[in-house]
Each structure stands twice: as C-alpha cells, then as structure tokens.
Amino acid sequence: MYDGNPQTKGDKMAIGNKQQWQDAFEAYKALIHDPRYDSEYLRRTGLVPHMIELIGDMRRLQVLDAGCGTGWLFDAITPLGGCECDVVPPVRRNNSRIRSHCQDVCRLTYDDDSFDLVVSSLVLMWVDDLYGAFREAYRVTRPGGRLIVSLMHPYFHTNGHVLHNGSFLIDQSVGSREERNVMISGIVGPLTYYSRPLVDYYNAALQARWRLVGFRDHFIDMERYRIETVDRVKFTHRTDKIPLFTFFVCGKDT
Ligand SMILES: C[S@@+](CC[C@H](N)C(=O)[O-])C[C@H]1O[C@@H](n2cnc3c(N)ncnc32)[C@H](O)[C@@H]1O
C-alpha cells in the first residue's frame, strides 16, 4: 500500500509496472503486516471497513478482485463465486469457488458480463492506462452490476506534505504526472506511480460508460492513531486535515 511517503532513488528508469511489482511484492507483503510501520493500522481501521461496507452482502454475487495483491478481500469475505487477478501471480487458493489468475487489469481475458461486482482496491494509481482499466472492468461487469474503487487520496501524496503542526500544505500544482522510482514507506519499490487529480479518475470512468453512484473519503482519527501507533511506527507524517483514502462506486446501466 502506498502510504504517502514517496522517496525517490536516483534517476533509474522505470522498467515497467509488471516487473516492478513482481520485484517489490515480497517487500510489500511484509510491509502491510510489519508493526514498525502504520500500513497495517491504516488498512485495518480505514481501507478494509469502508470497502467491506460498500461491497455489502456478496454471498450471492460473482465478484472479480482486480489487482488483488495478497488477496485480503477473499480472505475477509466469501462471494458466491469469483476470480482474483494481479500482474503478480496470486497464490492459488484451496477454494473451488475462487479462481486466481495472473492478468493485467487493462487487458482482462474474462468474458463480457461475467461479474456482478468488480473491486479495484489501491490499484489504479499504479496503472498507466486508466481508461483501459475502467473499460475492461465495464466490459466484464454484467448490466446492473457495480465497480468499487479505492485509492490513496490523490491530495495526500504528490501535491504537498504534512507540517509539524499537523496541517497540510499543498505546494505543488495539481496535475497528472508519472513518478518513477517511488518507494512505499522507503522500503517497497522502486515503482512507477501515476499521480492524477481525482477528476481524472471520474472522467476515465465516465468515458468508459460507468455512472458514478457513490463517494466517500476516509480521514484518520488522529487520537486513535496516536494511541495505537505510538512507540512503534518509524515515522509519523499523518494528518486528519485531508482524507487518506477515497472510495467511489460506479454502476453499469441495465
Ligand atoms: C497497493 S497493491 C493493492 C493490492 C490489493 N488490492 C489491496 O487492496 O491490498 C497494488 C496491486 O496492484 C497490482 N497491479 C499493479 N498494476 C496492475 C495491473 N496493470 N494489472 C493488475 N494488477 C496490477 C500490483 O501487483 C499490486 O498487487
């Protein structure tokens, strides 16, 4: 998970998203459970509860987890059936209802209208072809189905930083740019991150014929954050002045 602390490493050229994630994946897997960082806390108290609430009851749904990473979604909740895919080959599950595949979210091989719900959790910031990802999600979703997206909130990363007093200073222009050699928490990467204003995501979704039907942001509860992470996290650069995660729901017309 990108945690808002980009660091760059020299001028090494990006070598392609897929290879980068393959190389970084073991470190990423370790990071999200490492008590010395706050990723586990932020996911447990922010990402996961919002995603699960937005998804709702999936016991009767065919679900695609597109860019599944470690596969936390189907560890947490079990759909009627579904698939998970990632450019890093997902670990095969001992569950006949879930199939795991190595796939690019911009070039899915699933049939049209295969899923009731597609989930894209913290993936699209790492994807160059944003329209391609929305188009493919749309294609594989049945009419009447949904797409649920979570992102690190675009404002948090690339347009500014947290000051000592906890306020957030936006000091860079808001625009789209490719950032190479990004390190997550200083230890996962280098990765190529696509910094974009939120409106770029909305417009790409609309262009792919989705309707935008739900939105929410997650702000850190700083008091709880301090209590739960004090004495153990390596660096504190968080604020409740701007949202950490953003979520939106898209619907496909019947
Ligand atoms: C920050 S992780 C998020 C993983 C998981 N969805 C979660 O919520 O923890 C980003 C994931 O996106 C995957 N990814 C990046 N680009 C992708 C692409 N074009 N197609 C499929 N997966 C991709 C990476 O391999 C990585 O597992």
Side-chain angles (χ1 to χ4, degrees):
M1 183 182 65
Y2 185 62
D3 73 347
N5 189 40
Q7 295 178 6
T8 53
K9 261 192 174 177
D11 59 357
K12 193 176 164 212
M13 293 291 285
I15 50 170
N17 175 287
K18 180 175 176 173
Q19 187 62 48
Q20 287 180 335
W21 270 103
Q22 284 176 353
D23 294 346
F25 199 70
E26 286 305 313
Y28 167 73
K29 233 170 41 181
L31 170 71
I32 64 176
H33 301 295
D34 188 333
R36 291 170 300 169
Y37 297 87
D38 61 3
S39 294
E40 184 277 332
Y41 171 84
L42 298 172
R43 297 172 70 94
R44 173 167 48 84
T45 60
L47 177 74
V48 172
H50 283 294
M51 287 299 280
I52 288 183
E53 196 181 306
L54 286 168
I55 289 167
D57 186 356
M58 64 151 85
R59 283 173 302 177
R60 299 167 75 86
L61 302 182
Q62 293 290 336
V63 178
L64 172 64
D65 184 4
C68 61
T70 57
W72 71 266
L73 182 66
F74 293 151
D75 290 341
I77 39 183
T78 309
L80 177 64
C83 297
E84 56 186 0
C85 69
D86 200 287
V87 284
V88 179
V91 175
R92 223 171 258 272
R93 286 176 187 270
N94 204 6
N95 178 344
S96 56
R97 286 195 279 172
I98 309 287
R99 285 170 295 141
S100 308
H101 305 111
C102 185
Q103 296 222 5
D104 183 337
V105 296
C106 307
R107 290 173 199 82
L108 296 174
T109 62
Y110 304 110
D111 290 340
D112 295 357
D113 305 342
S114 297
F115 302 100
D116 302 295
L117 171 68
V118 175
V119 173
S120 168
S121 172
L122 303 183
V123 177
L124 296 178
M125 313 88 76
W126 307 105
V127 170
D128 184 9
D129 181 9
L130 195 54
Y131 168 72
F134 281 109
R135 181 202 60 220
E136 281 300 280
Y138 187 89
R139 185 183 64 73
V140 302
T141 301
R142 69 156 172 82
R146 292 179 301 157
L147 165 68
I148 299 181
V149 173
S150 66
L151 303 169
M152 296 305 296
H153 200 294
Y155 287 129
F156 195 74
H157 309 296
T158 50
N159 312 114
H161 54 271
V162 181
L163 301 178
H164 287 302
N165 65 5
S167 60
F168 191 81
L169 175 71
I170 295 178
D171 58 1
Q172 286 187 54
S173 60
V174 178
S176 305
R177 52 183 175 262
E178 180 184 290
E179 301 194 17
R180 292 182 174 171
N181 303 319
V182 166
M183 302 293 292
I184 303 175
S185 293
I187 57 170
V188 179
L191 294 159
T192 301
Y193 181 86
Y194 297 93
S195 175
R196 315 172 165 105
L198 191 53
V199 68
D200 283 12
Y201 292 94
Y202 294 165
N203 284 338
L206 290 167
Q207 197 190 348
R209 294 192 284 157
W210 288 106
R211 289 189 192 280
L212 297 172
V213 297
F215 312 87
R216 66 167 72 169
D217 288 343
H218 171 74
F219 290 78
I220 296 175
D221 174 340
M222 284 309 290
E223 201 178 322
R224 182 175 174 197
Y225 177 84
R226 283 191 202 100
I227 292 167
E228 288 208 31
T229 64
V230 73
D231 295 336
R232 68 177 176 87
V233 302
K234 277 194 163 177
F235 43 74
T236 308
H237 53 274
R238 304 298 179 189
T239 181
D240 55 2
K241 299 293 187 282
I242 58 161
L244 177 68
F245 298 116
T246 192
F247 304 83
F248 60 97
V249 183
C250 302
K252 179 168 173 173
D253 284 347
T254 49

